[in-house]
Amino acid sequence: MNRVFFPAAGAAIVKSLLLATLAFAGSASAADAAHGAAAPKADPAKGGSLYDTGDNARGLPACASCHGAGGNSTIVANPKLSGQVDTYIHKQLVDFTTPNRQQPVMTTYAKMLSDEEKTNIAAWLATQQPKQGAAKNKDTVELGRKIYRGGIADRGVAACASCHGATGSGIPAQYPRLAGQHQDYTINQLQAFKSGARNNSPQMGALAKRMSDEEMKAVADYIAGLK
């Protein structure tokens, strides 16, 4: 894995940044990773079938209707899920059934899925090939790059890359893939963490509260262009 080096800012700041290492979008803690590892053995084929067709008998629509074929969403408000870390997807589907991450559509459907089905869908999405995104704002891409790779030292914001990797590929079982994600979705989630509307990652809530709207938009745009 590519290593990320923080700008020289003194041992105390570096230590603070490392201790404050924050995972975007509700990244799993060690306990979360253990929870994911304890999930039922996955059957990606069953997961793919349920993703593509849903289950009319239960009133469960196809996941593809919102998240696109193979998890490559074309709707900017809905996240791209292709190639995402399976344990992260499983955790989020579980979190949607708790008070920590309430969303009218996803909470309804997550509650309809068994844990086995959550595991199967997550396993299938992890095997899908992501389509590339692109940064759009040349005026802020450098700011986004600096935040993603170096953080914001004077506010204790760790580099996004310290958890998600230099290319945004994530760290399996710990931190989600970010590369190529829709700008609108990333901004929406950062704002939800900041306001407390999304409460399934104390670390991300703390990080988002230290960021301005301009910084969120810049880093979201930079992330969209990662490959």
Side-chain angles (χ1 to χ4, degrees), residues 111-196:
K111 288 180 177 179
M112 297 171 67
L113 294 169
S114 68
D115 197 58
E116 180 179 2
E117 289 170 333
K118 291 179 175 72
T119 300
N120 292 343
I121 291 171
W124 182 77
L125 283 166
T127 69
Q128 301 306 294
Q129 183 63 40
K131 291 183 179 180
Q132 294 181 356
K136 297 178 181 178
N137 192 338
K138 65 180 181 180
D139 295 328
T140 64
V141 71
E142 179 59 19
L143 173 61
R145 185 194 71 81
K146 287 180 178 178
I147 294 171
Y148 187 88
R149 296 190 61 83
I152 308 172
D154 61 355
R155 276 178 267 154
V157 177
C160 309
S162 62
C163 288
H164 300 283
T167 61
S169 58
I171 301 175
Q174 295 183 62
Y175 308 119
R177 173 186 172 84
L178 301 182
Q181 188 57 265
H182 293 305
Q183 288 94 331
D184 288 19
Y185 178 76
T186 300
I187 293 167
N188 179 272
Q189 296 309 299
L190 285 170
Q191 291 177 339
F193 279 125
K194 185 173 186 175
S195 70

Side-chain angles (χ1 to χ4, degrees), residues 39-178:
K41 183 176 180 180
D43 188 329
K46 287 184 178 180
S49 178
L50 189 57
Y51 181 94
D52 286 336
T53 64
D55 185 346
N56 288 333
R58 285 184 285 168
L60 181 69
C63 308
S65 62
C66 288
H67 295 286
N72 283 293
S73 166
T74 59
I75 303 171
V76 296
N78 297 336
K80 297 179 182 179
L81 302 177
S82 54
Q84 185 57 271
V85 178
D86 55 352
T87 48
Y88 174 78
I89 294 178
H90 179 268
K91 179 183 183 297
Q92 298 311 301
L93 287 171
V94 171
D95 284 353
F96 278 122
T97 69
T98 75
N100 293 326
R101 191 175 184 189
Q102 291 287 295
Q103 199 276 345
V105 175
M106 282 306 305
T107 293
T108 297
Y109 297 139
K111 288 180 177 179
M112 297 171 67
L113 294 169
S114 68
D115 197 58
E116 180 179 2
E117 289 170 333
K118 291 179 175 72
T119 300
N120 292 343
I121 291 171
W124 182 77
L125 283 166
T127 69
Q128 301 306 294
Q129 183 63 40
K131 291 183 179 180
Q132 294 181 356
K136 297 178 181 178
N137 192 338
K138 65 180 181 180
D139 295 328
T140 64
V141 71
E142 179 59 19
L143 173 61
R145 185 194 71 81
K146 287 180 178 178
I147 294 171
Y148 187 88
R149 296 190 61 83
I152 308 172
D154 61 355
R155 276 178 267 154
V157 177
C160 309
S162 62
C163 288
H164 300 283
T167 61
S169 58
I171 301 175
Q174 295 183 62
Y175 308 119
R177 173 186 172 84
L178 301 182

Side-chain angles (χ1 to χ4, degrees), residues 2-8 14 17 149-151 159 161-162:
N2 293 325
R3 294 186 178 274
V4 177
F5 296 92
F6 295 102
V14 172
L17 287 174
R149 296 190 61 83
S162 62

